Amino acid sequence: MATAQELMRLQFARFAALDPQLPDTHHLPSSGEPIVTQTLDGGAVAGLVARNSNPPGSAQSLWQASEVFELFPIVGEQPQAGMDALLRAWREWLATHASPGPNSSCTVVWPSRDIAATRALLDHGFLPLSCLAVRPPTPAEYTELSGTVKVRRAGPADLDAVVELTLAELEYAALVGTSTYRPDAPRLKRTAAHVRLHSSDPVWLAEQDGTPVAVAECGWVDTAKSPSSYRLRAGMWAYVNCVSVQEKVRGTGIGRQLMTLAHNEFARAGVIGSFLYYNPPNPLSSVFWPRQGYRPLWTMWEVRPATALR
Ligand SMILES: CC(C)(COP(=O)(O)OP(=O)(O)OC[C@H]1O[C@@H](n2cnc3c(N)ncnc32)[C@H](O)[C@@H]1OP(=O)(O)O)[C@@H](O)C(=O)NCCC(=O)NCCS
């Protein structure tokens, strides 16, 4: 019977053949609880379940359930039958090892291009609510500014405008993905924006007749420094955390203009690429980001509450 190490080796060899942008390996959680099972024809598969809690008041509570069960599948070369067997075993495991409440979720992060596993995840009730998408570091083509819109770098004095725009994005995202607009969202967003505006991270603001109408809040991430936190190749990346255009001026080219500046600055900085998360059910961003050159790398599959796993 294949060992977990052998299954991992086969799994990453398969990932490399599926998608050259995937990292060579990914660290498993040190404190995961193991699940071992077999496919119908006797192939061994395994997984590790990590439990995380996001208490009220934590930044993560804005985009995750308060109790998260994340499965790290180790299915080797059996993406469909292996994932199917493992998800069935996980359901039994949950019934005996945990009693998840209403604010809980089961999540699996898996290569977007692995459609055999997609079938198994869909069959077990998982929804593709978020994906990590990547773009090569190519400069963007120049886009004409629309009307009287001016784009500039934001600084600490723009805190109120940045918070207001990022809260508008959260309100929108809460309808189309995993995010939740919790009562403490204004405070949490303010703290995060304050930190970013006092750092070297680039934030751009678009103004129309001097009034802020859009923001692109970005950052720099060296994935080599914390390889377990990112499912990306090691190196310096640009991270697009939040882009928000005021509702009444959406669809007029401001988002494109902001991202032209951002992508050109990323290219000048010499990053190996840029990445972001978007919600496939978002009718604006699911069109906007692929047109900006992004494509899915990892899909974040989720069922909420955790007891909805079938
Ligand atoms: C996604 C978003 C940032 C894009 O910014 P934007 O300024 O609206 O985008 P642009 O106008 O530059 O381009 C949008 C494209 O959709 C088209 N579009 C058509 N109708 C539209 C509408 N009602 N609203 C938005 N875009 C529309 C535009 O014509 C354009 O297509 P094109 O590239 O063929 O010209 C913005 O719509 C937004 O803030 N959405 C809500 C929050 C959100 O989803 N943020 C992203 C989270 S990942």
Side-chain angles (χ1 to χ4, degrees):
M1 193 180 274
T3 62
Q5 280 80 4
E6 176 62 2
L7 286 174
M8 281 289 277
R9 195 189 61 73
L10 293 170
Q11 179 157 304
F12 279 99
R14 205 179 146 264
F15 285 0
L18 269 179
D19 188 340
Q21 290 291 319
L22 290 167
D24 298 342
T25 187
H26 182 70
H27 294 267
L28 292 172
S30 49
S31 58
E33 297 175 48
I35 296 180
V36 178
T37 189
Q38 286 190 341
T39 60
L40 291 179
D41 55 13
V45 288
L48 277 181
V49 182
R51 300 184 194 210
N52 275 313
S53 65
N54 299 309
S58 64
Q60 288 87 339
S61 69
L62 296 182
W63 65 88
Q64 286 189 338
S66 75
E67 195 183 9
V68 179
F69 295 85
E70 179 171 358
L71 176 69
F72 292 77
I74 308 170
V75 296
E77 291 175 310
Q78 308 167 90
Q80 188 167 356
M83 187 68 85
D84 175 56
L86 196 55
L87 296 177
R88 224 171 314 117
W90 192 17
R91 186 164 171 255
E92 283 160 28
W93 181 94
L94 270 173
T96 49
H97 290 71
S99 32
N103 191 356
S104 62
S105 69
C106 285
T107 67
V108 177
V109 182
W110 201 253
S112 304
R113 291 189 175 175
D114 194 1
I115 54 167
T118 293
R119 183 67 268 160
L121 287 154
L122 287 169
D123 289 346
H124 285 271
F126 281 84
L127 297 175
L129 286 186
S130 181
C131 72
L132 190 170
V134 289
R135 179 188 187 278
T138 44
E141 275 171 38
Y142 180 71
T143 309
E144 197 69 34
L145 263 186
S146 56
T148 53
V149 172
K150 297 245 177 314
V151 177
R152 64 169 173 84
R153 277 290 277 267
D158 299 307
L159 183 62
D160 287 346
V162 170
V163 172
E164 194 179 315
L165 286 159
T166 57
L167 283 171
E169 191 270 337
L170 178 63
E171 215 173 318
Y172 193 95
L175 298 172
V176 293
T178 56
S179 298
T180 308
Y181 197 108
R182 300 199 190 278
D184 53 1
R187 183 181 57 77
L188 291 167
K189 286 286 186 188
R190 198 171 185 84
T191 305
H194 177 89
V195 171
R196 202 176 292 281
L197 289 168
H198 283 84
S199 74
S200 59
D201 286 347
V203 180
W204 287 271
L205 209 54
E207 292 174 319
Q208 200 161 38
D209 301 323
T211 304
V213 290
V215 72
E217 196 205 340
C218 306
W220 309 112
V221 172
D222 184 355
T223 56
K225 284 192 179 148
S226 54
S228 58
S229 311
Y230 299 96
R231 290 173 162 93
L232 293 166
R233 286 182 297 128
M236 185 58 82
W237 289 79
Y239 171 43
V240 181
N241 182 50
C242 172
V243 178
S244 176
V245 177
Q246 233 177 39
E247 189 175 355
K248 60 179 189 297
V249 289
R250 282 178 201 154
T252 63
I254 298 173
R256 254 181 300 155
Q257 180 61 30
L258 277 168
M259 292 319 296
T260 301
L261 284 179
H263 289 137
N264 287 339
E265 174 136 347
F266 299 164
R268 271 196 303 275
V271 295
I272 62 171
S274 50
F275 73 98
L276 50 80
Y277 298 87
Y278 74 83
N279 302 125
N282 181 332
L284 301 181
S285 65
S286 61
V287 179
F288 181 74
W289 291 123
R291 291 194 66 132
Q292 290 293 316
Y294 289 82
R295 60 90 161 170
L297 184 68
W298 295 94
T299 301
M300 282 77 185
W301 295 88
E302 182 169 314
V303 283
R304 270 194 214 195
T307 47
L309 175 63
R310 61 170 194 254

